[in-house]
Every structure is written in C-alpha cells, then in structure tokens.
Amino acid sequence: MKKILLLLLVCSTVQLSGREVFFIPGWYSQWVIYTKHVQQLEKIFPGEKITVCKWDSNRLWQNAKHSASAFVRKFALSLLQRDDTVDITLIGHSLGGRIVLDCAGILAENRKQVRQIILLGTAGKMSEADIRNCQQVSLLPVINICCFDDNMLKLFYRQEGFMPLGLAGLPRKHSHICQYRMEVPATELAISDMTILSRAGTEPFRETAAHLAAKYLLVLTDAVQGRLTEYYLDLPELEKIAAGSAVPNDFLPGFRVSAEIKGWKFARRRFPRRYRISSPAGKFFYYKSETDALRIWQYIQDAADI
C-alpha cells in the first residue's frame, strides 16, 4: 500500500513539474523586479514553473502598443513550436493582457489550446472575436478581474474613445468566462503631481494600487481558491440607459458631486440648473429634469449594489 501511495505521489509530482505559468506584465515593466509577484504565483500554482515575460515596454504609450504587437508575434510563435501548450497558463496584466488576447487569436487560428487564460486589469476593448478565441483556446474557464479604481486605464483608454476591458469587464455575460470585480480602499489611492485634463476641468492624476499587478494577484488567489463569487456588471448597458434621457453635453463649470457609488458619481449645479451622472469609465451624462436624473441614479445604485 505504501509503495502504491509513493508511486502516485511521484506521478503527481512529474505531472506538475511539466506545467508552466507565463506572466506577461504591462507598460513600463522592464525595470520592475517581480520577486514578490513570482512568490505569489508560486502559492497560486504550487509546483509549477513560473516565467515572467518582460518585453520592450519602456516607451511612450503609443510606441509601447506597437512594441506589444511585435512581442505578440514572437511569443505566439514560441508557443506554436511547443507540444505541451495544454500545460501552459497565460496571465496578462494591463497591456500584457492585450498581448494575451492577441496571442489567443493566433493560437486559435492554429488550433492550439492552453490550460487557462487569466486577464488582470486588461487594457483595451475585447471584441467578439477575442471572446470566441479565449473560449476556444482556454481549456479551463477564463478568469477576468476588472477594477473601477484603475485610473491608469481611464487616463489612456478614455482618450482613445473606447472602454478598457480591465475597467469594465466584458460587455455581456459569456459562458466559460468567470469575472471578478476588484475594489481598492481609498487609503491606497496615491495622488501624484501630474495633472490630466478632463471636460470637468483639471484634476490630479490618481495612480492607484489597483494598477499594480501584485494587487490583482491577491484577488486572483482568492478567485482560484474559490473564496470569491463571480460578479458581473454590464457597464456599457448601464451607460446606454443613462444616455437615454440625457441632454447635450454641458461644459459649463459649477457641478458639485453629492453622491458616489462604485465609481459612479451624481452631481448637481444650481445655475443654470443641471444634473450630471458620470460613469466609472469617465463618461458624462447631463439632465435638465431632476426626476429623470434621480430615476436613473436609483437604477444605477440598484445595479451597483448587486
């Protein structure tokens, strides 16, 4: 009996040793030392090889995106040359998440599969093709962790006119994809000296702990170990509802925020009288009618409280 148990233990160890986790970080990651991140990943995936895939990310934002595209082709080719891709887990954070999504497209074209795809605060919009590719390539359910407090995503992707996946989550609930919402305590928000321009005027740029990969990995630990329940929020749908009764944009100053919940803000202005609701992604909706504004705000509160 002892010999049988020993043999099973050896076989299990051999199987685990063949598994590998590729962690692909995001923008300006080349100078980061990922010792603590690797230690956390070793806890999540015990006995597996952890590989941090740094790429030419220390560039201006637009140049970094081009560099990420070049890295995708190189990285995907290295995976296509392997026979053990079903033992591989792909984890992408921020712009690294976009790399994982694009890599999934190449793997899908070549009918390759990996054990699992995990997205942490992914930068960029996820298309229907991305969703199909992830569902086809990932043997285990895809894990997507989104965060309303990730102002890095708001800053760069709001200017490009579309919703960052890592902020909003997927536009609709899909099978084979688990979504978890991450929140960051206000005490962990750090105000830097840099300012950004918004339609509401100048505001300080808030670099939050939410954009740090280590924070996402802590939530991932709970998700993998089953300590989190899935949370789904159709942010684009809520924005569509908010836009239904809205009037044209109002760029005059004087709005004062009177309520806030999960990244949504309700603001009033006395003269000329207007009401404004802003979404976690930074979109603004204006109303002349207080009744309409409060009705929509109540709907948003009900959805955010789920």
Side-chain angles (χ1 to χ4, degrees), residues 21 23 33-52 91 213-214 217-218 220-221 225:
V21 176
F23 174 70
I33 299 175
Y34 286 98
T35 303
K36 293 183 178 179
H37 302 71
V38 171
Q39 291 174 349
Q40 188 64 30
L41 286 169
E42 288 174 343
K43 293 179 181 178
I44 303 174
F45 305 98
E48 303 186 30
K49 180 182 178 182
I50 309 297
T51 302
V52 178
I91 303 177
L217 289 178
L218 291 175
L220 176 61
T221 304
Q225 295 178 355

PDB file of all heavy atoms in Angstrom, residues 21 23 33-52 91 213-214 217-218 220-221 225:
ATOM      1  N   VAL A  21       3.591  28.500 -15.985  1.00  0.00           N
ATOM      2  CA  VAL A  21       2.772  29.711 -15.940  1.00  0.00           C
ATOM      3  C   VAL A  21       3.574  30.863 -16.529  1.00  0.00           C
ATOM      4  O   VAL A  21       4.668  31.175 -16.063  1.00  0.00           O
ATOM      5  CB  VAL A  21       2.352  30.054 -14.497  1.00  0.00           C
ATOM      6  CG1 VAL A  21       1.582  31.374 -14.465  1.00  0.00           C
ATOM      7  CG2 VAL A  21       1.521  28.931 -13.900  1.00  0.00           C
ATOM      8  N   PHE A  23       3.654  34.765 -17.006  1.00  0.00           N
ATOM      9  CA  PHE A  23       3.075  36.023 -16.537  1.00  0.00           C
ATOM     10  C   PHE A  23       3.617  37.152 -17.409  1.00  0.00           C
ATOM     11  O   PHE A  23       4.826  37.396 -17.455  1.00  0.00           O
ATOM     12  CB  PHE A  23       3.427  36.268 -15.069  1.00  0.00           C
ATOM     13  CG  PHE A  23       2.978  37.613 -14.564  1.00  0.00           C
ATOM     14  CD1 PHE A  23       1.630  37.878 -14.391  1.00  0.00           C
ATOM     15  CD2 PHE A  23       3.897  38.610 -14.267  1.00  0.00           C
ATOM     16  CE1 PHE A  23       1.203  39.110 -13.928  1.00  0.00           C
ATOM     17  CE2 PHE A  23       3.481  39.843 -13.803  1.00  0.00           C
ATOM     18  CZ  PHE A  23       2.133  40.088 -13.635  1.00  0.00           C
ATOM     19  N   ILE A  33      11.205  44.623 -10.696  1.00  0.00           N
ATOM     20  CA  ILE A  33      11.657  43.330 -10.186  1.00  0.00           C
ATOM     21  C   ILE A  33      10.439  42.588  -9.641  1.00  0.00           C
ATOM     22  O   ILE A  33       9.762  43.077  -8.732  1.00  0.00           O
ATOM     23  CB  ILE A  33      12.720  43.514  -9.082  1.00  0.00           C
ATOM     24  CG1 ILE A  33      13.936  44.244  -9.657  1.00  0.00           C
ATOM     25  CG2 ILE A  33      13.137  42.158  -8.500  1.00  0.00           C
ATOM     26  CD1 ILE A  33      14.985  44.580  -8.624  1.00  0.00           C
ATOM     27  N   TYR A  34      10.157  41.426 -10.191  1.00  0.00           N
ATOM     28  CA  TYR A  34       8.908  40.734  -9.900  1.00  0.00           C
ATOM     29  C   TYR A  34       9.073  39.590  -8.898  1.00  0.00           C
ATOM     30  O   TYR A  34       8.331  38.608  -8.955  1.00  0.00           O
ATOM     31  CB  TYR A  34       8.300  40.206 -11.202  1.00  0.00           C
ATOM     32  CG  TYR A  34       7.699  41.306 -12.045  1.00  0.00           C
ATOM     33  CD1 TYR A  34       8.410  41.860 -13.105  1.00  0.00           C
ATOM     34  CD2 TYR A  34       6.429  41.800 -11.773  1.00  0.00           C
ATOM     35  CE1 TYR A  34       7.868  42.870 -13.884  1.00  0.00           C
ATOM     36  CE2 TYR A  34       5.881  42.803 -12.541  1.00  0.00           C
ATOM     37  CZ  TYR A  34       6.613  43.340 -13.588  1.00  0.00           C
ATOM     38  OH  TYR A  34       6.065  44.354 -14.349  1.00  0.00           O
ATOM     39  N   THR A  35       9.991  39.740  -7.967  1.00  0.00           N
ATOM     40  CA  THR A  35      10.227  38.668  -6.988  1.00  0.00           C
ATOM     41  C   THR A  35       8.976  38.347  -6.188  1.00  0.00           C
ATOM     42  O   THR A  35       8.582  37.182  -6.042  1.00  0.00           O
ATOM     43  CB  THR A  35      11.366  39.072  -6.030  1.00  0.00           C
ATOM     44  OG1 THR A  35      12.537  39.373  -6.796  1.00  0.00           O
ATOM     45  CG2 THR A  35      11.667  37.936  -5.068  1.00  0.00           C
ATOM     46  N   LYS A  36       8.313  39.381  -5.651  1.00  0.00           N
ATOM     47  CA  LYS A  36       7.112  39.162  -4.842  1.00  0.00           C
ATOM     48  C   LYS A  36       5.965  38.606  -5.686  1.00  0.00           C
ATOM     49  O   LYS A  36       5.166  37.798  -5.206  1.00  0.00           O
ATOM     50  CB  LYS A  36       6.699  40.459  -4.162  1.00  0.00           C
ATOM     51  CG  LYS A  36       7.688  40.947  -3.101  1.00  0.00           C
ATOM     52  CD  LYS A  36       7.182  42.199  -2.411  1.00  0.00           C
ATOM     53  CE  LYS A  36       8.151  42.652  -1.328  1.00  0.00           C
ATOM     54  NZ  LYS A  36       7.692  43.888  -0.649  1.00  0.00           N
ATOM     55  N   HIS A  37       5.884  39.045  -6.933  1.00  0.00           N
ATOM     56  CA  HIS A  37       4.827  38.549  -7.810  1.00  0.00           C
ATOM     57  C   HIS A  37       5.011  37.055  -8.073  1.00  0.00           C
ATOM     58  O   HIS A  37       4.047  36.282  -8.054  1.00  0.00           O
ATOM     59  CB  HIS A  37       4.845  39.313  -9.138  1.00  0.00           C
ATOM     60  CG  HIS A  37       4.689  40.795  -8.988  1.00  0.00           C
ATOM     61  ND1 HIS A  37       5.678  41.588  -8.474  1.00  0.00           N
ATOM     62  CD2 HIS A  37       3.660  41.628  -9.294  1.00  0.00           C
ATOM     63  CE1 HIS A  37       5.278  42.847  -8.471  1.00  0.00           C
ATOM     64  NE2 HIS A  37       4.062  42.887  -8.953  1.00  0.00           N
ATOM     65  N   VAL A  38       6.270  36.669  -8.314  1.00  0.00           N
ATOM     66  CA  VAL A  38       6.565  35.255  -8.557  1.00  0.00           C
ATOM     67  C   VAL A  38       6.236  34.423  -7.323  1.00  0.00           C
ATOM     68  O   VAL A  38       5.679  33.325  -7.429  1.00  0.00           O
ATOM     69  CB  VAL A  38       8.046  35.073  -8.957  1.00  0.00           C
ATOM     70  CG1 VAL A  38       8.427  33.597  -8.992  1.00  0.00           C
ATOM     71  CG2 VAL A  38       8.308  35.711 -10.319  1.00  0.00           C
ATOM     72  N   GLN A  39       6.576  34.947  -6.155  1.00  0.00           N
ATOM     73  CA  GLN A  39       6.268  34.229  -4.911  1.00  0.00           C
ATOM     74  C   GLN A  39       4.765  34.018  -4.757  1.00  0.00           C
ATOM     75  O   GLN A  39       4.318  32.950  -4.322  1.00  0.00           O
ATOM     76  CB  GLN A  39       6.828  35.002  -3.719  1.00  0.00           C
ATOM     77  CG  GLN A  39       8.349  35.015  -3.655  1.00  0.00           C
ATOM     78  CD  GLN A  39       8.880  35.904  -2.548  1.00  0.00           C
ATOM     79  OE1 GLN A  39       8.134  36.690  -1.938  1.00  0.00           O
ATOM     80  NE2 GLN A  39      10.167  35.795  -2.265  1.00  0.00           N
ATOM     81  N   GLN A  40       3.978  35.026  -5.108  1.00  0.00           N
ATOM     82  CA  GLN A  40       2.526  34.904  -5.017  1.00  0.00           C
ATOM     83  C   GLN A  40       2.013  33.902  -6.038  1.00  0.00           C
ATOM     84  O   GLN A  40       1.123  33.089  -5.742  1.00  0.00           O
ATOM     85  CB  GLN A  40       1.870  36.269  -5.242  1.00  0.00           C
ATOM     86  CG  GLN A  40       0.373  36.298  -4.981  1.00  0.00           C
ATOM     87  CD  GLN A  40       0.033  36.021  -3.526  1.00  0.00           C
ATOM     88  OE1 GLN A  40       0.806  36.332  -2.630  1.00  0.00           O
ATOM     89  NE2 GLN A  40      -1.129  35.428  -3.298  1.00  0.00           N
ATOM     90  N   LEU A  41       2.573  33.918  -7.243  1.00  0.00           N
ATOM     91  CA  LEU A  41       2.163  32.969  -8.275  1.00  0.00           C
ATOM     92  C   LEU A  41       2.517  31.539  -7.885  1.00  0.00           C
ATOM     93  O   LEU A  41       1.790  30.596  -8.193  1.00  0.00           O
ATOM     94  CB  LEU A  41       2.819  33.333  -9.607  1.00  0.00           C
ATOM     95  CG  LEU A  41       2.238  34.560 -10.326  1.00  0.00           C
ATOM     96  CD1 LEU A  41       3.130  34.986 -11.474  1.00  0.00           C
ATOM     97  CD2 LEU A  41       0.820  34.262 -10.820  1.00  0.00           C
ATOM     98  N   GLU A  42       3.641  31.373  -7.190  1.00  0.00           N
ATOM     99  CA  GLU A  42       4.031  30.040  -6.723  1.00  0.00           C
ATOM    100  C   GLU A  42       3.039  29.504  -5.694  1.00  0.00           C
ATOM    101  O   GLU A  42       2.831  28.291  -5.601  1.00  0.00           O
ATOM    102  CB  GLU A  42       5.439  30.095  -6.134  1.00  0.00           C
ATOM    103  CG  GLU A  42       6.526  30.268  -7.186  1.00  0.00           C
ATOM    104  CD  GLU A  42       7.904  30.462  -6.583  1.00  0.00           C
ATOM    105  OE1 GLU A  42       7.985  30.784  -5.370  1.00  0.00           O
ATOM    106  OE2 GLU A  42       8.898  30.305  -7.307  1.00  0.00           O
ATOM    107  N   LYS A  43       2.412  30.409  -4.943  1.00  0.00           N
ATOM    108  CA  LYS A  43       1.385  29.986  -3.986  1.00  0.00           C
ATOM    109  C   LYS A  43       0.103  29.577  -4.717  1.00  0.00           C
ATOM    110  O   LYS A  43      -0.576  28.637  -4.320  1.00  0.00           O
ATOM    111  CB  LYS A  43       1.084  31.113  -3.009  1.00  0.00           C
ATOM    112  CG  LYS A  43       2.229  31.461  -2.074  1.00  0.00           C
ATOM    113  CD  LYS A  43       1.837  32.607  -1.155  1.00  0.00           C
ATOM    114  CE  LYS A  43       2.975  32.991  -0.227  1.00  0.00           C
ATOM    115  NZ  LYS A  43       2.621  34.150   0.640  1.00  0.00           N
ATOM    116  N   ILE A  44      -0.208  30.306  -5.786  1.00  0.00           N
ATOM    117  CA  ILE A  44      -1.429  30.012  -6.539  1.00  0.00           C
ATOM    118  C   ILE A  44      -1.271  28.736  -7.350  1.00  0.00           C
ATOM    119  O   ILE A  44      -2.195  27.926  -7.460  1.00  0.00           O
ATOM    120  CB  ILE A  44      -1.779  31.189  -7.477  1.00  0.00           C
ATOM    121  CG1 ILE A  44      -1.937  32.489  -6.683  1.00  0.00           C
ATOM    122  CG2 ILE A  44      -3.063  30.896  -8.255  1.00  0.00           C
ATOM    123  CD1 ILE A  44      -2.142  33.717  -7.557  1.00  0.00           C
ATOM    124  N   PHE A  45      -0.065  28.547  -7.923  1.00  0.00           N
ATOM    125  CA  PHE A  45       0.200  27.394  -8.778  1.00  0.00           C
ATOM    126  C   PHE A  45       1.391  26.611  -8.213  1.00  0.00           C
ATOM    127  O   PHE A  45       2.498  26.649  -8.775  1.00  0.00           O
ATOM    128  CB  PHE A  45       0.500  27.849 -10.210  1.00  0.00           C
ATOM    129  CG  PHE A  45      -0.571  28.715 -10.816  1.00  0.00           C
ATOM    130  CD1 PHE A  45      -0.448  30.098 -10.815  1.00  0.00           C
ATOM    131  CD2 PHE A  45      -1.704  28.155 -11.376  1.00  0.00           C
ATOM    132  CE1 PHE A  45      -1.425  30.899 -11.377  1.00  0.00           C
ATOM    133  CE2 PHE A  45      -2.694  28.942 -11.938  1.00  0.00           C
ATOM    134  CZ  PHE A  45      -2.558  30.326 -11.924  1.00  0.00           C
ATOM    135  N   PRO A  46       1.208  25.910  -7.110  1.00  0.00           N
ATOM    136  CA  PRO A  46       2.328  25.206  -6.462  1.00  0.00           C
ATOM    137  C   PRO A  46       2.931  24.129  -7.351  1.00  0.00           C
ATOM    138  O   PRO A  46       2.217  23.396  -8.037  1.00  0.00           O
ATOM    139  CB  PRO A  46       1.671  24.598  -5.208  1.00  0.00           C
ATOM    140  CG  PRO A  46       0.216  24.510  -5.529  1.00  0.00           C
ATOM    141  CD  PRO A  46      -0.071  25.685  -6.407  1.00  0.00           C
ATOM    142  N   GLY A  47       4.256  24.061  -7.344  1.00  0.00           N
ATOM    143  CA  GLY A  47       4.955  23.036  -8.094  1.00  0.00           C
ATOM    144  C   GLY A  47       5.115  23.314  -9.573  1.00  0.00           C
ATOM    145  O   GLY A  47       5.699  22.512 -10.306  1.00  0.00           O
ATOM    146  N   GLU A  48       4.616  24.463 -10.037  1.00  0.00           N
ATOM    147  CA  GLU A  48       4.696  24.784 -11.458  1.00  0.00           C
ATOM    148  C   GLU A  48       5.805  25.806 -11.722  1.00  0.00           C
ATOM    149  O   GLU A  48       6.160  26.604 -10.853  1.00  0.00           O
ATOM    150  CB  GLU A  48       3.351  25.322 -11.962  1.00  0.00           C
ATOM    151  CG  GLU A  48       2.210  24.336 -11.714  1.00  0.00           C
ATOM    152  CD  GLU A  48       0.911  24.786 -12.339  1.00  0.00           C
ATOM    153  OE1 GLU A  48       0.949  25.476 -13.374  1.00  0.00           O
ATOM    154  OE2 GLU A  48      -0.156  24.457 -11.788  1.00  0.00           O
ATOM    155  N   LYS A  49       6.334  25.787 -12.917  1.00  0.00           N
ATOM    156  CA  LYS A  49       7.379  26.730 -13.300  1.00  0.00           C
ATOM    157  C   LYS A  49       6.756  28.080 -13.609  1.00  0.00           C
ATOM    158  O   LYS A  49       5.817  28.170 -14.400  1.00  0.00           O
ATOM    159  CB  LYS A  49       8.144  26.209 -14.518  1.00  0.00           C
ATOM    160  CG  LYS A  49       9.255  27.137 -14.988  1.00  0.00           C
ATOM    161  CD  LYS A  49       9.949  26.587 -16.225  1.00  0.00           C
ATOM    162  CE  LYS A  49      11.024  27.549 -16.711  1.00  0.00           C
ATOM    163  NZ  LYS A  49      11.682  27.054 -17.948  1.00  0.00           N
ATOM    164  N   ILE A  50       7.265  29.148 -12.990  1.00  0.00           N
ATOM    165  CA  ILE A  50       6.745  30.495 -13.194  1.00  0.00           C
ATOM    166  C   ILE A  50       7.732  31.275 -14.067  1.00  0.00           C
ATOM    167  O   ILE A  50       8.910  31.398 -13.728  1.00  0.00           O
ATOM    168  CB  ILE A  50       6.544  31.239 -11.861  1.00  0.00           C
ATOM    169  CG1 ILE A  50       5.735  30.388 -10.871  1.00  0.00           C
ATOM    170  CG2 ILE A  50       5.898  32.587 -12.112  1.00  0.00           C
ATOM    171  CD1 ILE A  50       4.333  30.065 -11.328  1.00  0.00           C
ATOM    172  N   THR A  51       7.262  31.793 -15.182  1.00  0.00           N
ATOM    173  CA  THR A  51       8.108  32.559 -16.089  1.00  0.00           C
ATOM    174  C   THR A  51       7.511  33.949 -16.297  1.00  0.00           C
ATOM    175  O   THR A  51       6.345  34.077 -16.706  1.00  0.00           O
ATOM    176  CB  THR A  51       8.236  31.866 -17.467  1.00  0.00           C
ATOM    177  OG1 THR A  51       8.780  30.559 -17.278  1.00  0.00           O
ATOM    178  CG2 THR A  51       9.128  32.667 -18.392  1.00  0.00           C
ATOM    179  N   VAL A  52       8.283  34.999 -15.985  1.00  0.00           N
ATOM    180  CA  VAL A  52       7.865  36.379 -16.232  1.00  0.00           C
ATOM    181  C   VAL A  52       8.378  36.791 -17.606  1.00  0.00           C
ATOM    182  O   VAL A  52       9.580  36.755 -17.864  1.00  0.00           O
ATOM    183  CB  VAL A  52       8.405  37.333 -15.153  1.00  0.00           C
ATOM    184  CG1 VAL A  52       7.999  38.769 -15.463  1.00  0.00           C
ATOM    185  CG2 VAL A  52       7.889  36.922 -13.777  1.00  0.00           C
ATOM    186  N   ILE A  91      -1.097  34.464 -18.194  1.00  0.00           N
ATOM    187  CA  ILE A  91      -1.632  35.529 -17.349  1.00  0.00           C
ATOM    188  C   ILE A  91      -1.130  36.863 -17.876  1.00  0.00           C
ATOM    189  O   ILE A  91       0.080  37.071 -18.004  1.00  0.00           O
ATOM    190  CB  ILE A  91      -1.195  35.371 -15.879  1.00  0.00           C
ATOM    191  CG1 ILE A  91      -1.617  34.002 -15.336  1.00  0.00           C
ATOM    192  CG2 ILE A  91      -1.777  36.484 -15.023  1.00  0.00           C
ATOM    193  CD1 ILE A  91      -1.161  33.745 -13.912  1.00  0.00           C
ATOM    194  N   ALA A 213       0.291  45.007 -10.470  1.00  0.00           N
ATOM    195  CA  ALA A 213      -0.028  43.599 -10.703  1.00  0.00           C
ATOM    196  C   ALA A 213      -0.172  42.821  -9.399  1.00  0.00           C
ATOM    197  O   ALA A 213      -0.977  41.895  -9.306  1.00  0.00           O
ATOM    198  CB  ALA A 213       1.048  42.966 -11.581  1.00  0.00           C
ATOM    199  N   ALA A 214       0.596  43.204  -8.382  1.00  0.00           N
ATOM    200  CA  ALA A 214       0.554  42.455  -7.126  1.00  0.00           C
ATOM    201  C   ALA A 214      -0.837  42.482  -6.504  1.00  0.00           C
ATOM    202  O   ALA A 214      -1.292  41.503  -5.897  1.00  0.00           O
ATOM    203  CB  ALA A 214       1.582  43.022  -6.146  1.00  0.00           C
ATOM    204  N   LEU A 217      -3.021  40.032  -8.249  1.00  0.00           N
ATOM    205  CA  LEU A 217      -2.656  38.653  -7.934  1.00  0.00           C
ATOM    206  C   LEU A 217      -3.257  38.199  -6.609  1.00  0.00           C
ATOM    207  O   LEU A 217      -3.583  37.026  -6.442  1.00  0.00           O
ATOM    208  CB  LEU A 217      -1.133  38.501  -7.898  1.00  0.00           C
ATOM    209  CG  LEU A 217      -0.431  38.589  -9.248  1.00  0.00           C
ATOM    210  CD1 LEU A 217       1.082  38.475  -9.083  1.00  0.00           C
ATOM    211  CD2 LEU A 217      -0.930  37.501 -10.201  1.00  0.00           C
ATOM    212  N   LEU A 218      -3.400  39.109  -5.668  1.00  0.00           N
ATOM    213  CA  LEU A 218      -4.040  38.758  -4.396  1.00  0.00           C
ATOM    214  C   LEU A 218      -5.499  38.374  -4.622  1.00  0.00           C
ATOM    215  O   LEU A 218      -6.003  37.412  -4.031  1.00  0.00           O
ATOM    216  CB  LEU A 218      -3.936  39.918  -3.411  1.00  0.00           C
ATOM    217  CG  LEU A 218      -2.531  40.231  -2.883  1.00  0.00           C
ATOM    218  CD1 LEU A 218      -2.559  41.479  -2.001  1.00  0.00           C
ATOM    219  CD2 LEU A 218      -1.972  39.049  -2.104  1.00  0.00           C
ATOM    220  N   LEU A 220      -6.669  37.293  -7.477  1.00  0.00           N
ATOM    221  CA  LEU A 220      -6.621  36.061  -8.249  1.00  0.00           C
ATOM    222  C   LEU A 220      -6.466  34.851  -7.330  1.00  0.00           C
ATOM    223  O   LEU A 220      -7.068  33.797  -7.574  1.00  0.00           O
ATOM    224  CB  LEU A 220      -5.467  36.109  -9.247  1.00  0.00           C
ATOM    225  CG  LEU A 220      -5.229  34.841 -10.067  1.00  0.00           C
ATOM    226  CD1 LEU A 220      -6.446  34.498 -10.915  1.00  0.00           C
ATOM    227  CD2 LEU A 220      -3.989  34.986 -10.947  1.00  0.00           C
ATOM    228  N   THR A 221      -5.686  35.007  -6.270  1.00  0.00           N
ATOM    229  CA  THR A 221      -5.509  33.920  -5.306  1.00  0.00           C
ATOM    230  C   THR A 221      -6.856  33.481  -4.749  1.00  0.00           C
ATOM    231  O   THR A 221      -7.174  32.286  -4.693  1.00  0.00           O
ATOM    232  CB  THR A 221      -4.594  34.353  -4.147  1.00  0.00           C
ATOM    233  OG1 THR A 221      -3.348  34.794  -4.682  1.00  0.00           O
ATOM    234  CG2 THR A 221      -4.354  33.208  -3.182  1.00  0.00           C
ATOM    235  N   GLN A 225      -8.853  29.902  -5.550  1.00  0.00           N
ATOM    236  CA  GLN A 225      -9.135  29.051  -4.396  1.00  0.00           C
ATOM    237  C   GLN A 225     -10.621  29.024  -4.036  1.00  0.00           C
ATOM    238  O   GLN A 225     -11.004  28.439  -3.029  1.00  0.00           O
ATOM    239  CB  GLN A 225      -8.305  29.522  -3.205  1.00  0.00           C
ATOM    240  CG  GLN A 225      -6.800  29.346  -3.428  1.00  0.00           C
ATOM    241  CD  GLN A 225      -5.963  29.850  -2.272  1.00  0.00           C
ATOM    242  OE1 GLN A 225      -6.492  30.419  -1.315  1.00  0.00           O
ATOM    243  NE2 GLN A 225      -4.657  29.647  -2.355  1.00  0.00           N
TER     244      GLN A 225
END
